[in-house]
Amino acid sequence: HQLYLDADSTLWIRTNRGGLCQYIGNDKFSTFKHDPADSLSIWQNLINPIYDDKRGNLWLGFLDGQTNKGLDRFNKNSQTFFHYRHNPYDSTSISHEIVWTFYVDCDSNLWIGTEQGLNRYIPDKNSFCRYFPNKTKDSPQNKIIKISQAGANSFWIGTTAGLFLLNSKTGN
């Protein structure tokens, strides 16, 4: 289990395959679990990172390599989920469906580290811009586990194969 306190001081609990729980007060919880009969339910019950943005969304990354369900954006006000899946034919989709980490830079851009690459969310287009430390598919250098800003357009990218410096303007 992992606890996450969002910007509104709402407590969220990431469970081990038990879905997402929201503490609503007075010892009461609201639980969101995957329902195969409901395409609008949370994609799966094994959640890895959690992040809330300034737009009232809770971002949920998934880690289960067996079901590979990608990324969810949960609108806290409407209590609805929006799903993002990797599409090999769409270069603006998320680069992989196993999500390891989130990071927000000084310009409020949301960065998502996945099993195969780094993604910057583009809210106006509801899409992603992809970055790969190594252009070779399935390289361990592309498994992004940590992101930290080094300067205006540069980021330290932690992978399972080492540390890399990314220039987000050039993609190198």
Side-chain angles (χ1 to χ4, degrees), residues 98-115:
I98 294 178
V99 177
W100 288 101
T101 190
F102 295 117
Y103 181 78
V104 176
D105 67 22
C106 65
D107 295 321
S108 298
N109 292 307
L110 176 63
W111 295 82
I112 302 145
T114 73
E115 185 77 10

Side-chain angles (χ1 to χ4, degrees), residues 75-89:
N75 183 299
K76 295 185 284 185
N77 294 324
S78 66
Q79 301 274 293
T80 56
F81 290 92
F82 187 87
H83 313 300
Y84 297 93
R85 302 284 307 266
H86 169 67
N87 179 345
Y89 306 105

Side-chain angles (χ1 to χ4, degrees), residues 30 112 139 141:
S30 180
I112 302 145
S139 168
Q141 293 174 337

Side-chain angles (χ1 to χ4, degrees), residues 2 4 14 20 42 46-52 58-64 70-72 97-103 110-114 144-145:
Q2 176 190 8
Y4 182 84
R14 178 192 86 181
L20 178 68
I42 192 171
L46 182 58
I47 302 160
N48 189 28
I50 300 174
Y51 171 74
D52 65 309
L58 194 66
W59 292 85
L60 309 169
F62 301 112
L63 191 57
D64 188 351
L71 174 71
D72 270 5
E97 294 181 347
I98 294 178
V99 177
W100 288 101
T101 190
F102 295 117
Y103 181 78
L110 176 63
W111 295 82
I112 302 145
T114 73
I144 312 297
I145 56 175

Side-chain angles (χ1 to χ4, degrees), residues 12-100:
W12 299 88
I13 304 165
R14 178 192 86 181
T15 66
N16 187 11
R17 298 192 187 277
L20 178 68
C21 298
Q22 175 187 20
Y23 180 67
I24 54 177
N26 298 325
D27 295 329
K28 294 186 179 165
F29 293 86
S30 180
T31 303
F32 302 92
K33 288 187 175 185
H34 175 66
D35 178 356
D38 181 2
S39 65
L40 299 178
S41 71
I42 192 171
W43 264 125
Q44 68 166 274
N45 295 324
L46 182 58
I47 302 160
N48 189 28
I50 300 174
Y51 171 74
D52 65 309
D53 66 22
K54 294 181 191 267
R55 294 181 176 96
N57 297 303
L58 194 66
W59 292 85
L60 309 169
F62 301 112
L63 191 57
D64 188 351
Q66 299 299 314
T67 55
N68 285 346
K69 295 294 186 179
L71 174 71
D72 270 5
R73 184 184 72 217
F74 177 67
N75 183 299
K76 295 185 284 185
N77 294 324
S78 66
Q79 301 274 293
T80 56
F81 290 92
F82 187 87
H83 313 300
Y84 297 93
R85 302 284 307 266
H86 169 67
N87 179 345
Y89 306 105
D90 181 1
S91 64
T92 66
S93 72
I94 193 161
S95 64
H96 198 274
E97 294 181 347
I98 294 178
V99 177
W100 288 101

